[in-house]
Amino acid sequence: MSAAWDPERRLPICLTCSHGGHLTEMLLLAEAFAGHDTFYFTYDADTTRRLPNAHLVPNMARNPVEFLKNLGRVWRLFREKRPGLVVSTGAEIAIPVVLVAKLMRIPTVYVECGAQATHPSVTGRLMYWLADQFLVQWPELLRVYGPRASFRGSLIDMDAPFREDRSAERRMRVTLVQPAHQSGFSSDQPPMGLGYIASVLQQRGCVVRLLDANVEGLDALDTARLIVQQDPDLVGITVTTPLAPGALDIVRAVRRAREKPPLFVAGGPHPTVLPDELVARDAFDYAVRAEGEETMGELVEALQAGSSVGDIEGLSWWDGVTETVRHNPARELCQDLAALPYPDWSLFPLRRYSSLARRNDFCLPITTSRGCPYQCTFCYKGVYGNQLRMREPEDVADEWQFLVERYGAQEIAVLDDNFTMWEDRAEAICELLIARGLDRVPWSTTNGIRVDHAPPRVLELMKRAGCYRVYFGIESGVQRVLDLLEKRIDLDQVRAAVDAAKAAGLEVGGYFMIGNVGESLEDMDATIRFALDLDLDIVQFTIATPYPGTKMYEQVVRDGELLIDSWEDLASYGAPVFKMADLAPEDVARKYREGLRRFYFSPRFIVSQFRQMFTWTGFKHRVLGALLLLKMTLGGRRAPAGGKAGEARRPKPDRG
Ligand code: B12
Ligand code: SF4
């Protein structure tokens, strides 16, 4: 650091970045220099426009005229502001800034937190040469980065090594992957489980990359090709049941391509319920069962130390000596959710996600609790269990604020199974959102809340705190079916909750299932009528689907017939996947389409959409939604030819 530097003295400081690719770092820098008068010099872009005190200039890439103009702009700016320090992250934009700073004898610091640490570009090298200090990690930042700090980069200035420098160490390279859905329809949302795992790995010194094959539209072979190119030491794949065949395809393709393949770890619902399906000599080396943070952390520590994995709770692994799958004892549920790091969204292609169920495309998720004490027969709860664990309101509001301020999230999706279960806590969270001005950012409870935990005062406060829509898990309009599903709600509670939410000014969405175990044709009709009679803005009908590990799955395997050829078929929204007693698959498919058609093609719904067409996202979502509905209601997917339940339990063999 320059001799003139005194952190106690209040200084004007110029922070420079290019298009906001370094936005996270720039905001962290501002935080690190809190107490000084910081201002930004950046390119004019969507991301940078949100920065406070920003001087926005046109992009000068390959434009010498703009380069010269920027020299003039910086000169005038610095004459006016007289900065005591210039700190830059982006290389190209920093060149005129640092040149002028040199002329004006202002100390300059170059902070590079990305790949340039190991592979500096030409402009990066020029910056190292120009700047007084060439830091890719900055001691000041330790305070705001927390434990991640010492791993985010390394010191380039070898003559004055920073004592936390880890650049010489061999760090484990990890690629985290979400496979693409190979069939069915699903909206694109960032996989939060991988976000948590990424943060845990970075805390342990790993270099983490993320590949969301789903949002990038990559099939198994292309995903494998990219993994081979990245050449990681370890690949972690998130696996729900329908993703299991695709995940295995990826692993086997990488294994075929590499003489010395990386280690493969599966995590998520499917490895939790059926680890034996994934762990094998030619497949995954490890399966992390249930919550993954602690287990994965201990696994990479053991791998880095070369020690045994035999004691790591929650882990299943391939034992090459006995050629068997070993299952270590289960791990206790995490009791201190506040101790978990926030998911690292900076690794995700955030601008690529989009969901028709949101108002804004740039929406980030949050979970404020884990677990659920209910036992609905269709719901898989192997990951988070029956014990409800709630985060403190302050902790929730802190992460919420972080998502809005650091990433610029335009909407928040609450993914909890039970956001309002403790009503006082939900109210306290809402109060904090209002107090911190976060009520300006719209949010919704996308995974549904229970109708028996939706009193008017909570709903009203949610609305005031920025919530625009609640979804309720209603499932059926027939009490007998609700009882069979062990939902533990009644139809009066449904009506009361929907009315209360509408009265609070919220949009209301209802989740319904058609073709449940024990349901008759009349029951399905009654459910559709019930859904139409409620004052709902959105409905989602799904065909009841038994996932392994649920009571419904046991019922179907015991008393009926699964009609699937592969686990992939369980991602279908349009085709029945089981046959049972009087429940004919053709009737279920017909009623499913009828429900959608009668709700979405009703004049009331169509008229209600007009006022939402006046924004670009609103218009786009409605056009895409209409196309999707046409596909689902007119075509639908034909029911699979069917195989025996026993055969269907195994995923398809590798398709090469
Ligand atoms: C949000 C959500 C979605 C979103 C986004 C999914 C996504 N890409 O992340 C959408 C709407 C797209 C969706 C779609 C589907 N979903 Co969904 N979804 C959820 C929900 C509500 C929250 C998921 C979440 O983010 N949780 C928070 C994160 C932190 O938890 P997590 O992902 O489980 O991750 C933890 C562990 O599993 C583990 N882990 C996860 N991945 C990895 C990877 C590694 C390497 C390691 C070590 C550990 C690890 O560590 C994480 C931290 O503890 C859950 C219910 C729930 N309570 O979890 C259902 C749930 C995951 N969905 C489910 C289902 C069935 C589906 C669909 C099949 C529905 C359909 N008919 O198409 C599709 C399949 C989509 C897919 N990617 O495979 C089931 C899964 C059952 C099963 N056996 O697979 C669940 C559990 C609902 C339920 N209770 O039955 N879903
Ligand atoms: S459906 Fe909802 S209430 Fe029922 S067990 Fe699952 S998370 Fe709990």
Side-chain angles (χ1 to χ4, degrees):
M1 186 65 56
S2 150
W5 171 251
D6 171 7
E8 299 303 317
R9 196 158 58 92
R10 198 177 171 94
L11 287 178
I13 298 180
C14 175
L15 307 175
T16 303
C17 64
S18 45
H19 339 78
H22 299 276
L23 191 60
T24 309
E25 267 65 39
M26 292 311 288
L27 289 164
L28 281 171
L29 281 170
E31 214 171 296
F33 291 108
H36 296 281
D37 298 321
T38 50
F39 61 94
Y40 292 97
F41 185 84
T42 81
Y43 285 155
D44 186 2
D46 278 355
T47 39
T48 51
R49 254 171 246 149
R50 288 194 309 271
L51 290 168
N53 305 328
H55 291 265
L56 304 172
V57 294
N59 194 330
M60 64 181 187
R62 282 177 233 106
N63 186 340
V65 178
E66 279 306 331
F67 176 84
L68 292 175
K69 282 187 178 170
N70 275 341
L71 280 174
R73 288 179 186 120
V74 180
W75 180 265
R76 286 191 293 279
L77 183 67
F78 282 8
R79 247 200 352 223
E80 179 201 331
K81 299 260 182 192
R82 297 270 158 210
L85 183 69
V86 169
V87 183
S88 171
T89 62
E92 177 195 274
I93 191 168
I95 291 172
V97 176
V98 175
L99 282 174
V100 172
K102 296 259 106 184
L103 285 171
M104 294 189 165
R105 297 177 167 274
I106 303 166
T108 51
V109 172
Y110 181 51
V111 179
E112 177 54 73
C113 301
Q116 302 236 3
T118 45
H119 300 96
S121 66
V122 176
T123 40
R125 281 179 194 283
L126 185 60
M127 281 305 305
Y128 303 153
W129 179 69
L130 279 174
D132 306 319
Q133 298 283 327
F134 319 124
L135 300 180
V136 284
Q137 188 51 64
W138 176 294
E140 311 275 350
L141 294 183
L142 267 172
R143 192 161 47 83
V144 278
Y145 271 108
R148 282 192 340 176
S150 44
F151 306 114
R152 285 289 294 214
S154 57
L155 188 77
I156 297 290
D157 187 353
M158 294 301 178
D159 296 334
F162 167 42
R163 81 192 136 71
E164 302 281 347
D165 184 17
R166 307 279 300 255
S167 56
E169 282 181 21
R170 169 87 177 87
R171 293 153 69 189
M172 190 179 243
R173 291 191 313 270
V174 181
T175 297
L176 295 177
V177 181
Q178 167 164 252
H181 311 285
Q182 310 209 354
S183 62
F185 155 79
S186 188
S187 60
D188 291 333
Q189 297 175 35
M192 187 177 231
L194 290 185
Y196 274 108
I197 298 299
S199 296
V200 163
L201 291 172
Q202 290 181 113
Q203 283 182 334
R204 282 167 171 88
C206 300
V207 179
V208 182
R209 298 176 88 167
L210 187 122
L211 199 53
D212 186 343
N214 190 47
V215 78
E216 305 287 0
L218 302 171
D219 65 12
L221 280 182
D222 282 339
T223 311
R225 215 167 282 140
L226 274 174
I227 295 173
V228 169
Q229 264 173 27
Q230 292 183 359
D231 191 24
D233 304 306
L234 187 145
V235 176
I237 307 188
T238 188
V239 194
T240 57
T241 294
L243 293 184
L248 281 169
D249 286 348
I250 294 171
V251 174
R252 291 187 175 132
V254 177
R255 283 192 183 281
R256 275 198 302 273
R258 301 233 43 135
E259 209 169 297
K260 195 169 172 304
L263 293 168
F264 290 97
V265 186
H270 199 70
T272 302
V273 61
L274 291 171
D276 290 282
E277 281 202 348
L278 299 174
V279 181
R281 180 157 26 87
D282 68 336
F284 284 91
D285 303 278
Y286 305 97
V288 167
R289 307 191 310 268
E291 283 171 300
E293 289 89 347
E294 287 183 60
T295 310
M296 188 65 175
E298 288 178 23
L299 175 62
V300 291
E301 273 173 11
L303 293 173
Q304 281 168 334
S307 56
S308 155
V309 299
D311 291 332
I312 300 177
E313 290 174 345
L315 189 73
S316 297
W317 49 285
W318 178 249
D319 182 347
V321 179
T322 58
E323 293 265 306
T324 53
V325 183
R326 304 270 292 267
H327 302 289
N328 297 351
R331 179 176 292 273
E332 292 281 310
L333 291 169
C334 171
Q335 296 301 330
D336 185 8
L337 298 183
L340 297 176
Y342 298 160
D344 186 351
W345 297 120
S346 68
L347 300 170
F348 289 73
L350 292 180
R351 292 281 166 182
R352 296 190 65 115
Y353 296 99
S354 161
S355 165
L356 296 179
R358 315 266 187 271
R359 273 193 188 162
N360 298 284
D361 279 339
F362 188 21
C363 170
L364 285 176
I366 190 169
T367 44
T368 78
S369 64
R370 288 184 175 182
C372 170
Y374 293 89
Q375 310 290 340
C376 305
T377 60
F378 54 89
C379 178
Y380 178 65
K381 305 223 323 276
V383 173
Y384 293 123
N386 296 325
Q387 192 200 351
L388 187 58
R389 290 151 293 146
M390 293 284 193
R391 291 171 61 186
E392 291 295 326
E394 282 281 346
D395 181 31
V396 172
D398 284 350
E399 183 176 344
W400 206 297
Q401 191 166 352
F402 180 85
L403 297 179
V404 171
E405 290 181 358
R406 185 127 320 143
Y407 294 107
Q410 288 161 359
E411 180 168 335
I412 302 292
V414 177
L415 296 193
D416 294 39
D417 291 326
N418 287 296
F419 177 68
T420 53
M421 187 77 93
W422 292 1
E423 291 160 16
D424 292 351
R425 190 200 72 125
E427 286 182 86
I429 293 174
C430 293
E431 302 277 16
L432 282 172
L433 296 182
I434 296 168
R436 296 190 189 187
L438 295 166
D439 50 339
R440 69 181 189 280
V441 181
W443 55 280
S444 65
T445 58
T446 54
N447 194 27
I449 54 175
R450 285 185 59 93
V451 291
D452 52 349
H453 286 282
R457 60 163 212 291
V458 174
L459 295 166
E460 281 155 21
L461 198 52
M462 284 168 67
K463 169 73 184 169
R464 278 181 42 219
C467 181
Y468 67 93
R469 185 185 298 152
V470 285
Y471 289 86
F472 291 117
I474 303 173
E475 327 302 354
S476 174
V478 178
Q479 190 60 49
R480 189 182 57 84
V481 176
L482 282 176
D483 296 342
L484 284 174
L485 293 171
E486 298 183 33
K487 187 74 195 179
R488 302 201 186 288
I489 55 172
D490 64 48
L491 297 177
D492 287 338
Q493 286 171 323
V494 174
R495 289 188 198 96
V498 172
D499 288 348
K502 295 297 291 190
L506 292 160
E507 290 177 21
V508 186
Y511 291 125
F512 294 90
M513 295 194 307
I514 296 284
N516 292 293
V517 171
E519 201 169 64
S520 66
L521 204 56
E522 293 72 42
D523 293 334
M524 293 185 245
D525 278 330
T527 293
I528 294 171
R529 271 199 312 275
F530 186 70
L532 295 175
D533 284 348
L534 290 169
D535 188 12
L536 295 171
D537 299 283
I538 292 184
V539 295
Q540 190 188 69
F541 290 107
T542 39
I543 292 183
T545 307
Y547 291 95
T550 63
K551 206 164 181 179
M552 187 184 269
Y553 184 82
E554 286 167 24
Q555 292 166 338
V556 169
V557 170
R558 192 184 58 228
D559 304 327
E561 191 183 340
L562 260 180
L563 303 173
I564 59 173
D565 302 319
S566 150
W567 290 129
E568 286 170 17
D569 297 334
L570 292 191
S572 145
Y573 280 88
V577 290
F578 69 92
K579 192 155 92 181
M580 212 168 173
D582 299 335
L583 201 64
E586 307 74 51
D587 288 340
V588 174
R590 191 160 49 81
K591 287 291 152 195
Y592 161 79
R593 290 200 293 272
E594 182 187 319
L596 283 177
R597 212 168 35 234
R598 286 180 59 188
F599 184 86
Y600 284 104
F601 296 157
S602 69
R604 173 180 160 266
F605 180 77
I606 293 169
V607 169
S608 75
Q609 297 306 293
F610 278 126
R611 69 192 158 85
Q612 318 231 19
M613 301 277 277
F614 295 104
T615 62
W616 166 240
T617 313
F619 176 76
K620 188 178 75 179
H621 282 190
R622 261 135 214 101
V623 172
L624 291 174
L627 291 174
L628 183 69
L629 271 168
L630 281 174
K631 195 169 148 203
M632 285 162 117
T633 51
L634 299 178
R637 235 165 50 94
R638 234 169 37 83
K644 291 194 194 80
E647 285 166 10
R649 241 172 279 155
R650 299 286 309 172
K652 265 187 206 159
D654 185 17
R655 281 163 303 167

